[in-house]
Amino acid sequence: MKRRLTVGMACLLLTAVPAFAADTRLELPLQELLDSPEAKAAGIDGSVRFYLAGQKTPAVVSRFGEDVTNRKTNGVGKSDTESCRWVALSALKALQQGAKDRGANAVIDIVSYFKKNEFRSATHYECHAGGIMSGVAFKATYAKVK
């Protein structure tokens, strides 16, 4: 009887665990993040400019291909917004390095690409924050602009 009770309680707890999992979708302003002191501290140095899809860009001189970056960060002890900003900076830093490696001075047509689903906005990026992890994925094109 004790064994059945223990097994029953274990099954009940296992089915209750997903109720505690969170997946909050946030849309946050990219320019505000790029202008923040956190961006400079994270190594976003201004040598590469970032343009969301639908945002007006200077004339494109050449393109150097597309790339996807998918970053995750620990969300424990942070607000959803704080962890989303942190992980977005990590993703942007990866795109900045990719641009430098290719001789590009801009990353254009940036779309959020969470689980391969595109979210397009000329002002905001998408982040998914959970109880433990937060994630941002970007798909973008490297370019040289005037």
Side-chain angles (χ1 to χ4, degrees):
M1 180 69 172
K2 267 187 170 179
R3 183 179 163 107
R4 284 187 187 161
L5 183 58
T6 303
V7 170
M9 290 298 286
C11 289
L12 182 61
L13 286 173
L14 288 174
T15 58
V17 170
F20 295 109
D23 186 17
T24 304
R25 182 182 170 278
L26 286 85
E27 292 179 20
L28 300 168
L30 182 67
Q31 195 59 51
E32 179 183 300
L33 179 62
L34 291 170
D35 294 339
S36 73
E38 294 89 355
K40 288 193 184 355
I44 305 299
D45 60 18
S47 63
V48 173
R49 293 178 279 173
F50 298 94
Y51 298 96
L52 291 166
Q55 191 176 10
K56 187 171 173 57
T57 65
V60 175
V61 176
S62 54
R63 294 173 187 265
F64 300 96
E66 282 190 351
D67 200 3
V68 173
T69 181
N70 186 357
R71 298 289 194 240
K72 305 281 188 256
T73 193
N74 181 339
V76 176
K78 300 178 191 121
S79 71
D80 288 349
T81 300
E82 182 183 6
S83 63
C84 282
R85 288 171 58 94
W86 181 259
V87 73
L89 287 171
S90 175
L92 290 168
K93 190 169 180 185
L95 289 172
Q96 176 182 268
Q97 189 58 52
K100 288 179 178 183
D101 291 347
R102 289 165 178 80
N105 66 356
V107 181
I108 63 172
D109 297 329
I110 302 170
V111 295
S112 294
Y113 200 57
F114 193 77
K115 294 186 178 177
K116 298 185 179 181
N117 294 309
E118 286 190 13
F119 167 74
R120 291 177 178 267
S121 170
T123 57
H124 288 71
Y125 66 93
E126 177 184 49
C127 174
H128 286 257
I132 297 172
M133 300 290 287
S134 295
V136 167
F138 290 131
K139 182 167 74 169
T141 301
Y142 297 115
K144 182 163 274 219
V145 297
K146 286 190 176 184

